[in-house]
Amino acid sequence: MKSIQQLPGEVKPVMSISRSPDPHPTAKLLSCAAQAALASLDARGAITGWTEGAHHLTGYTADEVMHRPAASLLTVPAENGQPADVIERFRAGESWQGELAVRHRAGHDLHLTVHIAPMVGGDDRMRWIALVLDQWQTPFSELGAPMLAPLLAHSPIGVAVLGPDLRFIWVNEALTYGGSVPLERRLGQRLGELFPHMEVDVLEGAMRQVLETGQPVLNFEYFGRSPVDPERRHAWWMCFFRLEDAAGHVLGVWYMVMDITERWRARERSALLNKASARIGSTLEVTVTTQELADVAVPGFADHTAVDLLESVMLGSELVPGAPHSITLRRTGQRSVLAKNQTAPGRPGETVSDPSPSAVRCLMSGRSVAESSSDDSAPHSSLFVPVKARGVTLGVAHFARSQRPEPFDQEDVNLAEELASRAGVCVDNARRFTRERTASLTLQRTLLPRALAGGTALDVAWRYLPAGASSGVGGDWFDVIPLSGARVAMVVGDVVGHGTNAAATMGRLRAAVRTLAGLDLPPDEVLAHLDDLVISLIEQEGASEAGKEEPDTAICVLGSTCLYAVYDPVSQRCAMARAGHPPPVVMRPGETAACPDLPAGPPLGLGGLPFESAEFDLPEGSLLAFYTDGLIENGNQDVEAALSCLGEVLAQPGATLEGICEDTIRRLLTEPQSDDIALIVSRTRALGKDQVASWNLATDPAVVSRARAFATRQLSDWGLDDLSSTTELIVSELVTNAIRYGSGPIHLRLIRQNSLICEVSDASNTSPRLRHARTTDEGGRGLFLVAQLARGWGTRYTTGGKTIWAEQSISSATGAALLGAISSELNPDAGDAGGFSRPVRRMPQSPAQHQT
């Protein structure tokens, strides 16, 4: 890599060697130029050139002094010459040397020894060059060649003079490299002849440019192989000037050179670290982070890079300091200057089946391992560096060089460890984030329903968008719960706050609502019980968290809102109650969407205020949209406008429920989300008359046989003759219990959907209780038989009494087979009859109970 850098817009003067009685004019000029503080003047004494050395010496930049009279920089006249005398010398075309007082830009005086000599340009106009020798008090004429020659010869900056044919005619001691390139070997030789391993065309090209144009080349940087260190790249800083005599004859070119390899390598290291800081860790993805490490290292640091992480890191396991217990590595990042990586077989994502011994040693010891190969194998130098964070080894990074000839040294090891350390912290952050996010998502999936099923009563679609998209958890919740009698409950709630704490609180409320829904309570009573639960939670949290500064879950649960509704597909009516939650949007067929007149109710946890229910007719095909406030109060949008927009989406003809959800989110979520969003859209179904059969029965034991006959005929009409025997027994037991322990009127209803439901209602509020009859008891086995024959049974209370129901699966099993199984269960020789083969839904008992 080679480059030429020249100050833009800066025209440098051509140096001219004046014919003076000084026996060593060339040495004098070389010495002056070595000081690098010089200026060029036109015939009137105005400054036309200004070097960087003059800038550092006087404080004035080139822009500040260009075209100004040089005399304007002088202050009090010096002892050895007046400014007026200097001007007269200019006019006479004579050279001058002496001491001048120059005002520094900062305000103080500089006493400088200056040499001013005439200079002839290509247009034959007279010009001048002023060279600052030093701030010595001794006049220049007293120094003499004996002092200048040793200064030039022993300068740490290399100086050389080459003739017009670019052959060395003079070099100082610094360019002999401590005698490794003797002076006699250099003189008369060209660069390419002395150093055939170096690419010197660019150097000679720069010198030819100076010889042809006379314009000096400054700040030239060259990268190549050093004569004393041919295996490692070096960097040199150079300056080239053309030498002329007073008549303008070109005598040659001279250059100054200084080895800046350490500064260049420090600059490269700094640039690489800056690049690593900007690129590594841009995401919280483990594989992306390690690939960024490989991309940064190649080609600036290595020719090949591969990053392998422990399998336990990829799984998100908790790690402990020290050597890993098992070494199973997975390739997560790789980059090479070649099309195919020749140093580390395998591709990203694959398991490293056979890690190298050096990689294993690096992992076990936690220290870097550097290797070099003397043969022609690729790579010739390898470096294994542990990827660590917080004292824990996460993996290993393999750096290799195959095209770059220099091996890895200690500075390279330090740099690689710095890169791996930065990547390790980012990898560990990504690992921790992945583990916590996975735990949060698992919690969320556990607490929220994975699928909503409205059975034969509702078609349902939903969307859930937590505000903390990175964590994936929030405080909003929803559910659809099947109830007895083919009914279904819909619930949506909103917990204060976001994140894991709010999600945990949401899970507790959702579980409580599911339990309360199983009691078949009216919506207002469900919210009343939920309110009591919230108050209890607040009291418990307040007692357990007393004295702690951290916020507790009571903050999340207090002020939570909830909307609870129960829809009956038989009566096509819906009962609702809400606790501080926004009302739903309802659209009946042929009508416009609107929010029903539903009492608001207080948020949960306030206590002391009642909740009220309201019932509405919902014909088949009605649409209901339940949502949380994050949908309609996002950003600065107007709530009424948002509800109107939701109504327009519901009114779209032929729209599917999924399409309604997508369109609603797209149209209302126009700004960055600030709150959790839950949306449930459902379409009602109805059970036709051919799916429901009912009879009113008298409170006479003689009606039991007629009830069985009604049920048998209805099952035959429905094509469910296989369930006749079991249904006869269930109807017989439930009607008998209603006649014996209840009060009239008695009502029998059969519902056929995806299951067969048998319901018996009476005006009594006493609840039946399942008991275990002894072998000597004459009764007490009725509900036991019902529980064995049905997949579920229970009791729900109504405004006029209670309803006992039993639900059977519609299958090809015959009643005789089921009754045979029950007979086996009831055989006294089988022991205790308490082991039920079917799930039983146990209902809370009222104060008045009876046994059957």
Side-chain angles (χ1 to χ4, degrees):
M1 175 179 177
K2 297 166 279 292
S3 63
I4 298 179
Q5 299 181 7
Q6 186 169 321
L7 300 180
E10 184 177 2
V11 179
K12 297 300 181 180
V14 178
M15 296 185 59
S16 175
I17 302 179
S18 63
R19 300 185 182 276
S20 65
D22 192 333
H24 301 283
T26 304
K28 180 189 297 184
L29 290 174
L30 290 174
S31 176
C32 294
Q35 302 302 319
L38 54 88
S40 62
L41 315 175
D42 61 13
R44 297 176 300 172
I47 298 175
T48 59
W50 193 256
T51 66
E52 192 67 21
H55 169 208
H56 291 307
L57 181 62
T58 65
Y60 294 99
T61 64
D63 292 338
E64 293 174 330
V65 299
M66 290 296 283
H67 308 299
R68 287 180 52 183
S72 64
L73 302 180
L74 303 179
T75 57
V76 181
E79 296 179 1
N80 294 333
Q82 300 291 339
D85 297 338
V86 178
I87 295 175
E88 290 299 327
R89 293 288 189 92
F90 285 171
R91 293 173 179 173
E94 300 177 1
S95 62
W96 180 91
Q97 61 271 347
E99 186 173 314
L100 291 177
V102 177
R103 175 73 67 183
H104 192 275
R105 192 178 187 278
H108 59 275
D109 292 342
L110 297 174
H111 294 277
L112 307 176
T113 301
V114 181
H115 178 88
I116 302 175
M119 182 175 60
V120 178
D123 54 359
D124 293 333
R125 289 188 178 184
M126 181 64 68
R127 291 177 177 83
W128 301 86
I129 183 167
L131 297 91
V132 178
L133 301 178
D134 211 329
Q135 302 183 50
W136 299 339
Q137 298 298 325
T138 304
F140 173 77
S141 59
E142 297 180 7
L143 295 176
M147 296 184 62
L148 292 177
L151 174 64
L152 189 62
H154 299 291
S155 170
I157 298 177
V159 181
V161 179
L162 289 79
D165 58 354
L166 299 184
R167 295 185 180 275
F168 284 95
I169 60 175
W170 185 89
V171 295
N172 72 345
E173 186 176 335
L175 284 181
T176 64
Y177 297 99
S180 60
V181 185
L183 176 61
E184 58 274 11
R185 180 186 169 190
R186 272 185 176 267
L187 297 180
Q189 300 291 318
R190 295 180 58 172
L191 281 172
E193 297 171 349
L194 286 172
F195 313 115
H197 61 282
M198 297 176 64
E199 299 177 3
V200 297
D201 293 343
V202 66
L203 292 177
E204 293 187 344
M207 287 186 279
R208 288 193 182 94
Q209 176 184 337
V210 172
L211 288 172
E212 293 173 0
T213 64
Q215 185 174 356
V217 174
L218 304 178
N219 298 325
F220 178 90
E221 291 187 355
Y222 173 77
F223 302 92
R225 309 299 168 185
S226 169
V228 296
D229 189 14
E231 294 184 355
R232 188 177 301 276
R233 289 196 306 166
H234 281 247
W236 291 275
W237 170 88
M238 296 181 180
C239 291
F240 302 97
F241 294 89
R242 189 171 78 178
L243 296 178
E244 295 179 356
D245 60 14
H249 298 127
V250 178
L251 303 179
V253 62
W254 70 273
Y255 70 84
M256 301 168 56
V257 59
M258 181 170 58
D259 193 326
I260 58 170
T261 302
E262 294 303 321
R263 184 171 63 186
W264 166 67
R265 295 192 67 183
R267 186 173 61 192
E268 276 200 332
R269 289 193 296 270
S270 178
L272 190 62
L273 291 176
N274 290 337
K275 182 180 179 181
S277 299
R279 293 193 57 182
I280 298 177
S282 61
T283 67
L284 286 173
E285 295 289 340
V286 172
T287 54
V288 173
T289 300
T290 52
Q291 184 60 48
E292 289 170 343
L293 170 60
D295 294 340
V296 166
V298 177
F301 178 73
D303 297 326
H304 316 273
T305 299
V307 184
D308 302 327
L309 295 183
L310 294 170
E311 189 69 25
S312 55
V313 175
M314 304 302 298
L315 297 176
S317 305
E318 188 62 36
L319 305 177
V320 296
H325 298 293
S326 63
I327 299 181
T328 302
L329 297 173
R330 184 175 295 276
R331 179 68 44 81
T332 58
Q334 185 170 280
R335 181 73 181 273
S336 175
V337 295
L338 303 177
K340 183 179 180 181
N341 196 339
Q342 300 177 353
T343 62
R347 293 180 297 177
E350 295 182 349
T351 301
V352 181
S353 57
D354 188 19
S356 67
S358 299
V360 174
R361 188 164 71 253
C362 174
L363 285 170
M364 299 304 294
S365 64
R367 297 180 180 179
S368 301
V369 177
E371 297 177 337
S372 295
S373 176
S374 58
D375 54 20
D376 296 333
S377 62
H380 64 82
S381 183
S382 296
L383 177 60
F384 297 87
V385 178
V387 179
K388 303 171 65 176
R390 302 174 179 91
V392 177
T393 300
L394 308 175
V396 59
H398 177 205
F399 305 96
R401 288 177 178 173
S402 58
Q403 296 184 343
R404 299 172 56 155
E406 59 268 20
F408 292 107
D409 58 15
Q410 186 57 46
E411 290 186 359
D412 293 326
V413 173
N414 297 337
L415 179 58
E417 289 177 346
E418 178 67 21
L419 293 175
S421 176
R422 297 191 182 195
V425 173
C426 297
V427 167
D428 192 52
N429 290 338
R431 179 188 66 84
R432 291 169 179 262
F433 169 79
T434 301
R435 185 184 62 184
E436 293 176 3
R437 187 171 186 271
T438 301
S440 299
L441 291 177
T442 302
L443 173 65
Q444 190 76 65
R445 286 192 297 267
T446 303
L447 298 180
L448 287 176
R450 298 189 179 184
L452 298 181
T456 57
L458 295 172
D459 293 324
V460 182
W462 57 277
R463 292 294 183 274
Y464 181 74
L465 302 174
S470 60
S471 62
V473 295
D476 290 3
W477 55 284
F478 55 92
D479 209 345
V480 176
I481 308 169
L483 302 178
S484 64
R487 300 170 305 138
V488 65
M490 295 172 288
V491 59
V492 62
D494 189 353
V495 172
V496 178
H498 315 287
T500 306
N501 199 23
T505 304
M506 169 267 290
R508 300 168 79 173
L509 295 183
R510 177 174 174 265
V513 168
R514 269 199 164 261
T515 302
L516 294 172
L519 301 179
D520 271 323
L521 300 175
D524 55 334
E525 292 188 29
V526 170
L527 294 183
H529 285 290
L530 189 63
D531 185 56
D532 293 338
L533 173 64
V534 168
I535 294 175
S536 176
L537 289 176
I538 293 174
E539 293 175 351
Q540 293 176 9
E541 294 292 342
S544 62
E545 300 290 335
K548 292 186 178 181
E549 297 181 358
E550 297 82 1
D552 50 45
T553 55
I555 298 178
C556 295
V557 73
L558 179 61
S560 300
T561 64
C562 183
L563 171 63
Y564 187 85
V566 176
Y567 173 69
D568 187 348
V570 177
S571 64
Q572 300 182 37
R573 291 185 62 81
C574 182
M576 301 182 188
R578 61 187 179 122
H581 200 85
V585 177
V586 179
M587 193 190 77
R588 298 178 178 87
E591 301 182 9
T592 59
C595 295
D597 185 13
L598 183 63
L604 299 174
L606 299 183
L609 297 176
F611 299 96
E612 300 181 44
S613 292
E615 285 197 17
F616 310 94
D617 289 325
L618 289 180
E620 185 174 11
S622 299
L623 291 175
L624 296 90
F626 287 36
Y627 54 88
T628 55
D629 56 5
L631 180 67
I632 62 174
E633 298 178 3
N634 187 51
N636 298 320
Q637 66 180 347
D638 182 71
V639 174
E640 294 298 330
L643 291 176
S644 177
C645 179
L646 179 56
E648 294 175 1
V649 176
L650 292 177
Q652 293 177 356
T656 64
L657 298 182
E658 290 291 336
I660 291 174
C661 290
E662 288 293 332
D663 202 16
T664 300
I665 296 299
R666 178 182 59 82
R667 295 181 61 177
L668 293 183
L669 198 62
T670 58
E671 298 183 12
Q673 186 177 345
S674 58
D675 196 5
D676 303 329
I677 294 176
L679 173 65
I680 308 175
V681 180
S682 59
R683 180 179 284 114
T684 61
R685 294 181 180 178
L687 294 179
K689 295 181 179 180
D690 60 338
Q691 294 179 274
V692 181
S694 61
W695 300 272
N696 291 322
L697 304 176
T699 56
D700 183 358
V703 303
V704 176
S705 61
R706 291 197 296 270
R708 290 197 299 265
F710 291 152
T712 301
R713 287 196 300 270
Q714 186 61 54
L715 291 182
S716 178
D717 293 341
W718 285 343
L720 299 178
D721 297 302
D722 290 342
L723 295 178
S724 296
S725 56
T726 56
T727 304
E728 280 188 286
L729 180 56
I730 291 174
V731 168
S732 178
E733 292 296 335
L734 295 184
V735 172
T736 300
N737 282 343
I739 294 173
R740 181 178 301 178
Y741 301 107
S743 59
I746 299 175
H747 186 76
L748 170 64
R749 185 170 73 168
L750 296 178
I751 301 174
R752 176 179 62 86
Q753 46 168 3
N754 52 7
S755 62
L756 178 64
I757 302 173
C758 178
E759 296 180 342
V760 176
S761 303
D762 64 75
S764 172
N765 61 357
T766 59
S767 176
R769 179 172 62 90
L770 182 70
R771 71 183 181 90
H772 295 237
R774 295 186 294 271
T775 56
T776 57
D777 291 342
E778 295 182 359
R781 297 182 178 88
L783 281 184
F784 177 77
L785 292 174
V786 172
Q788 294 299 295
L789 293 172
R791 72 178 187 184
W793 73 277
T795 303
R796 67 174 182 269
Y797 296 97
T798 62
T799 56
K802 71 176 183 297
T803 297
I804 304 176
W805 57 270
E807 183 176 352
Q808 302 177 76
S809 298
I810 296 179
S811 64
S812 59
T814 62
L818 290 173
L819 288 175
I822 294 172
S823 300
S824 176
E825 294 265 358
L826 296 178
N827 187 352
D829 297 334
D832 188 3
F836 301 141
S837 61
R838 300 186 184 276
V840 177
R841 179 175 293 177
R842 299 180 180 274
M843 309 305 297
Q845 307 299 311
S846 64
Q849 299 178 350
H850 65 259
Q851 298 178 350
T852 181

